[in-house]
Amino acid sequence: MGKKQVPSLVKDERLISRRRAQIVKAAVGLFNEKGYHKATTREVANASGFSIGTLYEYIGSKEDILFLVCDSVYDEVVRKWEKLLDSNLRGLERLRQVIESYFRVVDDLQDEVLVMYQETKSLSGEALRYVLEKEIRIKDVFEKELINAREEGVLTMDDRQLSLAAHHILVVGQMWTFRRWAVQKEYSVDEYIDYQLRQLIYGFGVNEQAPDKQPVPQKEE
Amino acid sequence: MGKKQVPSLVKDERLISRRRAQIVKAAVGLFNEKGYHKATTREVANASGFSIGTLYEYIGSKEDILFLVCDSVYDEVVRKWEKLLDSNLRGLERLRQVIESYFRVVDDLQDEVLVMYQETKSLSGEALRYVLEKEIRIKDVFEKELINAREEGVLTMDDRQLSLAAHHILVVGQMWTFRRWAVQKEYSVDEYIDYQLRQLIYGFGVNEQAPDKQPVPQKEE
Amino acid sequence: MGKKQVPSLVKDERLISRRRAQIVKAAVGLFNEKGYHKATTREVANASGFSIGTLYEYIGSKEDILFLVCDSVYDEVVRKWEKLLDSNLRGLERLRQVIESYFRVVDDLQDEVLVMYQETKSLSGEALRYVLEKEIRIKDVFEKELINAREEGVLTMDDRQLSLAAHHILVVGQMWTFRRWAVQKEYSVDEYIDYQLRQLIYGFGVNEQAPDKQPVPQKEE
Amino acid sequence: MGKKQVPSLVKDERLISRRRAQIVKAAVGLFNEKGYHKATTREVANASGFSIGTLYEYIGSKEDILFLVCDSVYDEVVRKWEKLLDSNLRGLERLRQVIESYFRVVDDLQDEVLVMYQETKSLSGEALRYVLEKEIRIKDVFEKELINAREEGVLTMDDRQLSLAAHHILVVGQMWTFRRWAVQKEYSVDEYIDYQLRQLIYGFGVNEQAPDKQPVPQKEE
DNA sequence: TATGAATGAGTATTCATTCAT
DNA sequence: GATGAATGAATACTCATTCAT
């Protein structure tokens, strides 16, 4: 996957990186506050600390700003994951930690994730495909972990349920941001992580001794 | 909760309802296709089958259109639920059916839900509060069902986990729309409902005989 | 001067008069409050007590409303003058009373005069000409009175100064309305009439015994 | 009186002045021709020699254009007065010249004064207050001159008549523009000034030997 | 490289007027 | 005669983008 290129009139790569980091930071703040469409490029330029002309030395269009934001979030998520994924933890505990780690990154990058989450749809064509592909990559990480867990005998899930579960984990993470108006009023991150991990792993906690108990209908394989 | 009033210059209430239904239908299509911000009021008017002047006889501002869309979705969800919630089904089966019913409404009203879901944040002030309140009402329905189930001895969950679980169900439903680019490519609605119900109720299906098995740490942990 | 015709779809002349009186009354209030351009025909219709459709049964265009207002003011001014002009008062006292009478009509019809005064320029073509012609007619009344006074030996003014003086009287009357923000705060009508009559008749009250006294430079005839 | 600020997106103050002068000039022409309400911002921009976007770099709203026009008129009136008011002319001759000077400025800036005069009422809130305050300032100049003249023994007028006379002078000046359809057809500026000065100073030129002669009822009546 | 003035296509909204009922 | 729903031309204002300095 060739990194979708955002055009720049400037040659110095180091400068480009620095300026774009400024832009992303400023943009995340603004996009969160007023939304991508209501935030103007002028405002982004100002908040970035330079003029509108300079802004356009480092991007080709407003959409590129949004793309840069999305792109940076994924990079950060992946970066924060690296150490953990390399560890030799195994079994349910490993799964638990991988998920928790992701949840914490989402919490740290809350504003960024929220922007990415709510405004991605405004990207068009190539940029959209690129961002969705990155999202799939993250999903793939979860899927791989779930497969590992299954191979270790911890879980019983067929392939397709497992793939869906991977999506599910991703969404439960994002939910911490896009429903923060409700959820973050009632729960701390720690509580949220605790409860949602239990929910993911054990479900509603069905009481098997209940009157209408019924065997867990796992794919009868 | 007084229904937030959308102003109209027209007096005939029946006509207002009819025209607004046209508007909502047209708007859902357009908003899905190009997003709320990129769709113009003129396009909405044309797609509704009348002129821009007429459009403004039935709404006060573009935002009102978005509000009407959101409002209509909730009404429909609640309407489709009515019979079921009055039935005398009980226990896990009732819970299952309530959730499934919701999932199916979301599937039916896919476009509407997606719009509501992705553009709600563009509402401002009163309208936003009103829509979020309706969302809470739906969450309350799930919460009440979960409480009933617990009282019948089917579930073991403390109050706060239960509240979060209610949010969770809601999101899993919406997820069918906002991740349709991935999920609907791989699963039919029936499959989706089947898998997600299992996921919600039983979690990852932890194998209690697995090496690192550990007791389900419900509540009394 | 053929009365400029305002078209009506209605036949009954008596009804037309009644409705138009309603329209004028409503319009004067609205035009004063918000100005001719910001007042809408809908508002005029409502304030008149009937529907927009009905309004257009009695006028041909919005401009006609303005015209009707202007027209009615002149009629009223002339009507109120009738008795006085027929009296056999003579000399300075007659002049005084004719002017005072005009000032009082302006005070009575303040809102109407102000509208006419400030919005006349928005009339176009025929209507404008008609209204200006009526204004000239009023000026002619003053001119005639001044001429009479001169013939009685009360005044010494040549024809051209006299014509200008007639305009002047007219404007001093209107000034009571269009500068009411300043003048009506400081003076009662009675005071205003008293002071302005003196001003008109005797000017600044030049002290003939003053050091730099100089003979009144009336046209040295 | 803090100068009401008209907002601009441009930083170069010199450029702002230059562009605004262009705008005022163009606007005066257009507003005279079609009136403030019927002239569009686009027309103003075109007549100013730049695009609509550029126009809005120098003003915040259409109303600001009107305000700039009014503001510039007062500045010009005051500027043209400066030398004269500092002169050591005294007595009736001074009064005469101050008034004449004002009349000539009004004649020079005819279009501007007319616009200001007829459209001021369309200003709202702060801008209106500001413009009326400037008008009062000009009136104050006349009032001060009248007081001086009285102190020099040239005039006999009480304070309140004198204040009204100041308003009067102002209106007689403006009248040259707002009744130009009639007055300028009959008189040259020079004539107008001559006649109106006489009218202001000596009134109708009452013949003291006339039959019904009565003592000039100045003040001590 | 950086700046910021200029651009003009684009957009929500208004409102005089018409006409079928 | 009265009504009021429908119309669409018109208009103030915004904002992404360019380019000369």
Side-chain angles (χ1 to χ4, degrees), chain D residues 80-91:
Chain D
K80 292 228 170 162
W81 248 341
E82 273 173 4
K83 311 132 216 170
L84 184 68
L85 295 182
D86 286 348
S87 82
N88 47 19
L89 255 175
R90 286 294 169 268

Side-chain angles (χ1 to χ4, degrees), chain C residues 92 117-118 121 135 154 160 164 168 170 178-179 186-187 191 199-201 203-204 206-207 212, chain D residues 92 117-119 121 135 154 160 168 170 178-179 186-187 191 199-201 203-204 206-207 212:
Chain C
L92 198 57
Y117 192 72
Q118 298 197 316
K121 63 172 194 309
E135 182 109 356
V154 177
R160 305 191 69 223
L164 187 56
H168 194 160
L170 212 76
F178 69 73
R179 285 186 87 78
E186 299 183 50
Y187 305 89
E191 285 172 322
Q199 167 66 53
L200 283 170
I201 298 173
F204 289 156
V206 178
N207 182 353
D212 68 343
Chain D
L92 200 55
Y117 194 73
Q118 299 199 314
E119 310 287 7
K121 65 171 194 309
E135 181 110 357
V154 176
R160 306 192 67 224
H168 195 158
L170 211 77
F178 68 74
R179 286 185 88 77
E186 301 182 49
Y187 307 88
E191 285 172 322
Q199 167 65 53
L200 283 169
I201 298 174
F204 289 154
V206 177
N207 181 355
D212 69 343

Side-chain angles (χ1 to χ4, degrees), chain B residues 180-217:
Chain B
R180 63 177 170 189
W181 55 274
V183 181
Q184 297 196 19
K185 255 193 279 181
E186 300 183 49
Y187 306 89
S188 68
V189 213
D190 290 337
E191 284 172 323
Y192 183 80
I193 292 174
D194 179 34
Y195 284 135
Q196 290 292 49
L197 271 176
R198 261 195 257 163
Q199 167 64 53
L200 283 169
I201 299 173
Y202 305 108
F204 289 154
V206 178
N207 182 354
E208 306 289 340
Q209 270 66 52
D212 68 345
K213 156 186 155 47
Q214 41 192 134
V216 181

